[in-house]
Amino acid sequence: MLTEIRDTRLYVDQRGAADAPPVLFVHGGPGAGSYDFMKLQGDRFARSFHLIGVDQRGVQQSDPLTGPVSELDLIADYEALREQLGIAQWSVIGHSYGGRIALRYAATHPQAITKVVFENPGWDMVLASDTLARAALRLLPDAEFPPHTGPATKAMWDERVALLIRLGERRMEIYTGPDARDLQLPADTEIDDEFHRRSGHFSEQITSSPSFADEVLPYFGQLTQPALLIKGEYDPATSAEEIELFRSDVPHGTYYYAAGVGHFMHAEQPDVYARLVTDFLS
């Protein structure tokens, strides 16, 4: 359902009992939306939790953007929604780019978040786009790696994402384990083209925001909550440098290496994923 939050309306999908432990899902992309996760994991999590999936402002089923957007806007929206729902504290699951937002949120609003799960997060935009581009190059022998120095920029992001676009129908090969090469995510076929256009516009705006260049890895040392990092064996997003920093700097961090899967463990091994995350959050 559409819910008025701050100056827009967000699409909010709630599953499970209202008095169960609340869990917020923060989607990636940028602009991927919550549809896939809620379709694949909503009923599983609803057995134990009050799961709340939100399309970030301007994304998919939320109202279209009417102006610029920043990562701080997304966090402010989550806080406004939490207060509107009457939730004192919730756990947070961040997938891919959503892991970056979840990290910023958990570190800057520790009073609101009890535990945090990172599934194949893209925390640092330079490192994440670096590993993504290098994964794409394995399938593009005629392409060259686009070098970059300094903070993340939109030009850097666009240049590296262009390699992913060149993969066409082979794109999922770099995102999944060998047993899930034919994986098709529900949102690709089940939601309207208009919603995909909204997501594309959001991606253009958020990668143009100054907040996109912010360094977030220093937040590791500020996490007071128990944190779980899930890293798929074939995931192309989370870099070795980020994993090392997580394991050394997060005070209450747990690292889980997911053998056989790629970027979408929640889709590639849905039952295993649900048990893993449920056990951690419980």
Side-chain angles (χ1 to χ4, degrees), residues 38-197:
M38 300 304 288
K39 182 72 177 286
L40 296 164
Q41 290 290 340
D43 291 343
R44 291 178 172 86
F45 276 82
R47 299 166 191 159
S48 304
F49 302 105
H50 175 198
L51 179 65
I52 302 152
V54 182
D55 286 352
Q56 294 160 4
R57 58 171 53 217
V59 172
Q60 282 189 0
Q61 298 180 80
S62 290
D63 281 352
L65 284 178
T66 57
V69 62
S70 76
E71 294 179 352
L72 299 182
D73 286 323
L74 307 182
I75 294 170
D77 288 344
Y78 289 133
E79 270 295 272
L81 176 62
R82 180 183 64 81
E83 293 175 1
Q84 182 170 309
L85 294 176
I87 294 172
Q89 293 180 305
W90 52 14
S91 294
V92 175
I93 300 171
H95 174 244
S96 193
Y97 175 73
R100 175 180 168 88
I101 305 303
L103 174 58
R104 296 190 75 151
Y105 185 17
T108 57
H109 295 77
Q111 78 289 345
I113 297 173
T114 54
K115 294 183 180 181
V116 58
V117 176
F118 302 108
E119 180 192 0
N120 296 311
W123 284 311
D124 182 272
M125 291 295 93
V126 176
L127 292 174
S129 63
D130 183 294
T131 57
L132 282 166
R134 293 186 188 281
L137 287 176
R138 292 197 292 267
L139 301 179
L140 297 169
D142 61 327
E144 295 183 359
F145 178 77
H148 178 78
T149 57
T153 65
K154 178 171 173 54
M156 172 212 73
W157 179 259
D158 289 347
E159 192 172 24
R160 294 178 174 186
V161 168
L163 294 176
L164 306 182
I165 295 173
R166 282 187 57 184
L167 295 177
E169 295 181 355
R170 300 191 66 189
R171 185 170 179 173
M172 287 301 282
E173 289 185 34
I174 72 167
Y175 279 104
T176 58
D179 295 333
R181 290 290 189 249
D182 59 349
L183 176 68
Q184 188 169 49
L185 297 173
D188 290 342
T189 57
E190 296 179 11
I191 66 171
D192 293 344
D193 289 343
E194 167 60 23
F195 296 148
H196 288 297
R197 285 192 289 271

